[in-house]
Amino acid sequence: MINPIGSATRPATLVEHFEHGLDAPICLTWELTYACNLSCVHCLSSSGRRDPRELSTEQCEAVIDELRAMQVFYVNIGGGEPTVRPDFWHLLEYAVDHQVGVKFSTNGVRIDLPRARYLASTDYVDVQVSLDGATAEVNDRVRGPGSYAMALRALDNLAAAGFTDAKISVVVTRENAGQLDEFKRIADEHGATLRLTRLRPSGRGADVWDELHPTPAQQRELYDWLVRAGENVLTGDSFFHLAGFGEKLPGLNMCGAGRVVCLIDPIGDVYACPFAIHDTFLAGNVLTDGGFAEVWRTSELFRRLRAPSGGGACASCRFYDVCRGGCMAAKFFTGLPLDGPDPECVQGYGEAALADPARTVPAQRQDHSHRTRPRAAAPVPVQIGARPDPAAPPASPCAESPLAGFRVTD
Amino acid sequence: MTEILDQPWELSPSVALRPEPFGALAYHFGNRRLTFLKRRELVEVVRSLGDSPDARTALARAGVPAGRWDAYAVALRGLAQADMIRRRDTGGEER
Ligand code: SF4
Ligand code: SF4
């Protein structure tokens, strides 16, 4: 990446620019549907059932037109499982034909060989397959029976079709934190790039976060592993809260919510971040508030998020420069103050805060989970429907962490 | 190492520039790299490369003082490596 160009006076760093927000997001996630064929226990958007208010094909096209006008160069498409929308492939083409590149997250359900060949023939499409265990045993406990085989089959098809550099996206949990080398091997074998993201207590993730989030010892090992992996493994903005262990990790080292990061949900609601689906972080709606650009530029919530903040209880921490108090969503959904330490603070302040008996966890605002929610060992219900829309795989955490695949040097 | 300044360059056809308060974002649709042009003058330079006989002329047109041209040559080389800018009329044998 380019160097800012030497100058006697240090130019403001990108992080400083980003804190005031950009004219358009650079890490925009768009969840096309809440429908999903799976029921991952940690799904950040509590997906399962389609929302009847889901944006129509024409409304989606209008969103893409607007993204093009704003010069949003690419969008991370997720869900739910986006590929179960009958118009998914049409919208994909519509986007790339309008100079909006796409990376989409999938559990692999629809990536058969012909689709893989089609994807390999496109230039501006990137595919990310979710996998939460390097073995079926570990993966399927979280993502449901058969989901490991489904993901691996999709990756095999992509590799066989000559699709280069697919992404394998892993949410790091207590159960798979010891499998990082195996994940890397699976990625290498498929000519893919490994992407590790943080388990955040968003959506159904709130129900399992206590049991599944990595232990402090695992966080430390994860950090060391990431330092060794360097730029070969993508992390988006997932682990900047671990920067206090040593040097900064590659990626975005700040919370970009509402500044460079944003979510459009299946019904057109705009949230500050894909991990922050809650009224508190709802900025507006693309249908009722004058379109996405209008919401991005004028929302009161975003104005507040872009205003300078002091750092609160973290301000005096010597790691504040790199950690900045961690992830807003992780704090919010564990009931911690937003201007205090992250629940996984490397200094241990998070654990102390979590132990506070007065802590209350906010209720989830929306839930599209399948009503008969299969827990780990139960079979995954396959819905049968007349339209080709029924089975939708959810991209779990796929949804996207900001800044996937994007590197900044400053 | 400043011969780049004597050569004709242009913005790559796969690159789009988006103005931002600090300068611009450059996105390459092919290799999906996002690069930040952190100075408005650099954005000026990059934009005028295609209409200038050589990079030196683009620097002069953007009003960059000659004392800074070496630094700009380094930046332009970085952009060339990421295929954000490419040699003009050379049928791809640049680099
Ligand atoms: S809230 Fe968390 S996940 Fe969202 S942008 Fe901020 S740090 Fe990233
Ligand atoms: S006290 Fe705050 S800034 Fe310091 S490491 Fe913990 S979360 Fe990060």
Side-chain angles (χ1 to χ4, degrees):
Chain A
M1 291 264 131
I2 185 148
N3 221 296
I5 287 217
S7 155
T9 58
R10 171 182 153 283
T13 65
L14 276 175
V15 164
E16 286 162 41
H17 289 302
F18 284 5
E19 290 199 320
H20 301 112
L22 298 182
D23 289 354
I26 53 177
C27 297
L28 174 63
T29 297
W30 183 8
E31 299 188 341
L32 283 182
T33 182
Y34 280 119
C36 192
N37 54 316
L38 297 184
S39 298
C40 303
V41 299
H42 60 345
C43 179
L44 81 171
S45 54
S46 299
S47 285
R49 290 170 293 123
R50 180 177 173 276
D51 192 301
R53 296 165 296 173
E54 193 167 286
L55 299 184
S56 68
T57 304
E58 294 69 36
Q59 289 167 333
C60 288
E61 289 171 354
V63 170
I64 294 167
D65 293 343
E66 219 182 342
L67 298 183
R68 177 195 195 173
M70 292 175 82
Q71 285 193 284
V72 172
F73 302 122
Y74 60 89
V75 58
N76 302 300
I77 287 184
E81 170 60 42
T83 63
V84 303
R85 263 189 79 122
D87 57 2
F88 173 76
W89 305 99
H90 163 75
L91 292 174
L92 191 70
E93 277 188 49
Y94 190 89
V96 299
D97 287 349
H98 290 78
Q99 286 81 54
V100 179
V102 169
K103 179 176 78 172
F104 73 89
S105 290
T106 177
N107 57 32
V109 65
R110 292 285 161 88
I111 312 296
D112 55 15
L113 199 50
R115 285 298 182 203
R117 289 207 189 95
Y118 162 73
L119 290 167
S121 73
T122 63
D123 261 350
Y124 303 147
V125 179
D126 202 2
V127 183
Q128 171 167 297
V129 178
S130 303
L131 191 70
D132 292 330
T135 54
E137 194 207 347
V138 172
N139 179 81
D140 292 4
R141 263 208 300 275
V142 168
R143 304 185 59 80
S147 58
Y148 179 84
M150 189 192 290
L152 266 286
R153 195 204 52 197
L155 289 166
D156 289 344
N157 288 339
L158 288 166
F163 188 97
T164 51
D165 203 24
K167 309 293 178 288
I168 299 181
S169 188
V170 174
V171 179
V172 180
T173 64
R174 199 168 298 180
E175 302 202 350
N176 69 20
Q179 297 186 312
L180 302 183
D181 289 330
E182 283 106 285
F183 282 120
K184 184 76 172 75
R185 185 179 44 74
I186 294 173
D188 291 345
E189 283 169 4
H190 289 86
T193 298
L194 180 61
R195 179 164 171 272
L196 298 180
T197 65
R198 178 178 185 187
L199 174 68
R200 298 171 175 100
S202 313
R204 287 195 295 270
D207 305 339
V208 295
W209 188 81
D210 286 344
E211 308 134 56
L212 280 186
H213 83 103
T215 64
Q218 286 176 326
Q219 307 271 14
R220 176 75 229 204
E221 284 161 27
L222 168 64
Y223 173 82
D224 291 337
W225 194 93
L226 288 171
V227 168
R228 284 198 301 278
E231 303 248 342
N232 296 322
V233 171
L234 306 173
T235 56
D237 73 343
S238 279
F239 300 114
F240 69 93
H241 67 296
L242 302 181
F245 281 139
E247 64 203 81
K248 277 202 270 191
L249 295 165
L252 181 65
N253 285 283
M254 63 175 278
C255 171
R259 298 142 156 170
V260 299
V261 172
C262 190
L263 169 75
I264 303 176
D265 94 338
I267 64 171
D269 279 346
V270 178
Y271 292 93
C273 159
F275 294 92
I277 301 182
H278 190 280
D279 288 345
T280 307
F281 304 110
L282 177 61
N285 182 284
V286 301
L287 300 180
T288 56
D289 293 314
F292 176 68
E294 185 68 15
V295 174
W296 176 260
R297 288 175 190 147
T298 65
S299 126
E300 188 43 45
L301 169 73
F302 288 174
R303 213 192 309 273
R304 263 183 283 128
L305 288 174
R306 292 166 193 167
S309 73
C314 288
S316 58
C317 171
R318 68 200 151 104
F319 301 129
Y320 182 71
D321 262 2
V322 285
C323 166
R324 294 176 175 260
C327 169
M328 178 183 80
K331 292 188 264 204
F332 181 79
F333 289 114
T334 49
L336 300 187
L338 298 188
D339 62 351
D342 187 284
E344 294 175 326
C345 161
V346 300
Q347 299 261 60
Y349 296 135
E351 279 151 273
L354 291 171
D356 180 351
R359 176 175 70 102
T360 52
V361 174
Q364 302 286 333
R365 162 190 167 262
Q366 62 88 26
D367 187 359
H368 291 82
S369 301
H370 291 294
R371 292 211 174 86
T372 51
R373 192 151 121 218
R375 276 297 301 213
V380 171
V382 176
Q383 298 172 299
I384 312 284
R387 300 194 318 145
D389 147 329
S396 62
C398 39
E400 217 15 52
S401 107
L403 303 190
F406 138 101
R407 289 157 292 185
V408 187
T409 49
D410 60 359
Chain B
M1 290 307 290
T2 54
E3 64 265 32
I4 192 169
L5 298 183
D6 300 316
Q7 299 161 346
W9 290 81
E10 66 186 354
L11 195 63
S12 292
S14 337
V15 171
L17 288 181
R18 178 172 108 197
E20 285 292 345
F22 56 83
L25 287 177
Y27 183 66
H28 191 297
F29 284 95
N31 63 28
R32 302 193 192 107
R33 285 178 79 164
L34 192 57
T35 294
F36 301 84
L37 306 181
K38 296 205 247 172
R39 288 177 169 273
R40 285 165 205 265
E41 304 81 44
L42 180 59
V43 181
E44 275 291 295
V45 171
V46 167
R47 280 194 198 282
S48 63
L49 281 175
D51 305 325
S52 305
D54 51 36
R56 197 180 297 281
T57 310
L59 288 171
R61 284 181 180 166
V64 177
R68 312 262 317 279
W69 288 7
D70 283 4
Y72 272 79
V74 173
L76 291 174
R77 267 204 302 280
L79 288 174
Q81 265 157 25
D83 190 43
M84 291 290 168
I85 60 171
R86 55 174 67 164
R87 277 286 287 280
R88 194 153 22 106
D89 293 329
T90 50
E93 40 98 314
E94 78 271 16
R95 289 195 286 153

